[in-house]
Amino acid sequence: DGGITQSPKYLFRKEGQNVTLSCEQNLNHDAMYWYRQDPGQGLRLIYYSQIVNDFQKGDIAEGYSVSREKKESFPLTVTSAQKNPTAFYLCASRTGGSGANVLTFGAGSRLTVL
Amino acid sequence: EDKVVQSPLSLVVHEGDTVTLNCSYEVTNFRSLLWYKQEKKAPTFLFMLTSSGIEKKSGRLSSILDKKELFSILNITATQTGDSAIYLCAFAAISSGSARQLTFGSGTQLTVLP
């Protein structure tokens, strides 16, 4: 079955450490997204990528970095510069074209900074 | 600044009750409004609305959009415990290229008691 796989599901990190969250999709979708979810704040966009080797900052990109070397993969690195990294991170993808707005989401990764 | 406001933030009902969830938005270049259901992990797509006054229906769930008054409602009739979830509203805006992303509201936490 096609879908989006995020790993790890749970991750603990000490302050000052970088951590990379994996996102892989086999839907042949062009665009991929990273959202952060905090209680009571909905989903906020971190980074998005519409094609391989290209990505743009979202609304809260500071302290995060991404790469898009393959169509299927869009890993997110949470760096030590991110002041409050404890959150639930969701990866999503959608088909290309301006008419396709429906996102498909992965199951998420919950990061806790100790 | 574009924004989406959902109400109520949380709601507790008993099985069999009917609920109405609200979503109001202020956005330039509106394209479509989407509803998602999130049970613990990955949000799953419910409806996409682009035209005013046309009800979308799926089983006990239905939704309608009012583009003049800038709001949408999601109705759930004969609620069941399995309807307990966060319901997210999001809009997609028209952009010069592919749709940049969805802008999400903070969600409504629905709890259905047996």
Side-chain angles (χ1 to χ4, degrees):
Chain A
D1 288 336
I4 298 179
T5 302
Q6 289 187 240
S7 62
K9 291 184 179 178
Y10 299 95
L11 185 62
F12 296 89
R13 185 195 98 178
K14 292 182 179 179
E15 281 192 23
Q17 291 180 335
N18 292 355
V19 61
T20 297
L21 308 180
S22 170
C23 177
E24 303 280 332
Q25 55 102 356
N26 60 4
L27 300 166
N28 199 33
H29 284 175
D30 295 309
M32 297 187 73
Y33 304 80
W34 274 105
Y35 285 89
R36 170 181 171 140
Q37 187 174 30
D38 295 283
Q41 294 195 43
L43 307 184
R44 293 183 291 168
L45 182 69
I46 305 172
Y47 267 98
Y48 65 105
S49 168
Q50 297 184 101
I51 56 173
V52 174
N53 292 322
D54 185 53
F55 48 83
Q56 286 78 42
K57 293 181 179 180
D59 300 316
I60 55 166
E62 185 176 352
Y64 299 98
S65 65
V66 293
S67 62
R68 187 85 186 278
E69 298 176 1
K70 299 186 301 181
K71 186 175 184 179
E72 301 80 18
S73 179
F74 191 40
L76 173 74
T77 296
V78 185
T79 75
S80 56
Q82 169 49 234
K83 299 265 188 283
N84 185 20
T86 294
F88 187 56
Y89 292 88
L90 283 163
C91 179
S93 69
R94 68 168 182 84
T95 58
S98 58
N101 294 314
V102 178
L103 296 180
T104 300
F105 285 89
S109 293
R110 187 169 297 280
L111 172 62
T112 302
V113 174
L114 304 173
Chain B
E1 181 182 330
D2 297 339
K3 65 178 181 180
V4 181
V5 178
Q6 292 188 244
S7 64
L9 293 180
S10 65
L11 188 58
V12 180
V13 300
H14 287 90
E15 274 192 316
D17 289 349
T18 294
V19 298
T20 298
L21 309 183
N22 303 296
C23 175
S24 64
Y25 61 92
E26 296 177 18
V27 56
T28 54
N29 300 319
F30 174 89
R31 176 187 292 277
S32 57
L33 188 141
L34 295 89
W35 285 96
Y36 282 84
K37 177 183 181 182
Q38 185 179 21
E39 298 174 87
K40 301 294 186 185
K41 297 181 179 178
T44 54
F45 172 73
L46 294 175
F47 299 111
M48 182 168 69
L49 306 160
T50 56
S51 301
S52 276
I54 299 176
E55 184 182 54
K56 292 278 183 92
K57 195 171 174 66
S58 176
R60 296 175 293 101
L61 277 66
S62 63
S63 184
I64 197 162
L65 175 67
D66 186 326
K67 292 170 76 172
K68 180 180 178 184
E69 300 297 331
L70 307 182
F71 77 89
S72 174
I73 60 172
L74 175 67
N75 281 317
I76 308 175
T77 59
T79 52
Q80 302 171 358
T81 55
D83 295 326
S84 296
I86 297 173
Y87 289 84
L88 297 165
C89 169
F91 73 80
I94 298 171
S95 63
S96 58
S98 297
R100 175 177 175 260
Q101 84 275 11
L102 300 181
T103 300
F104 285 84
S106 58
T108 293
Q109 173 73 64
L110 173 65
T111 303
V112 181
L113 302 175

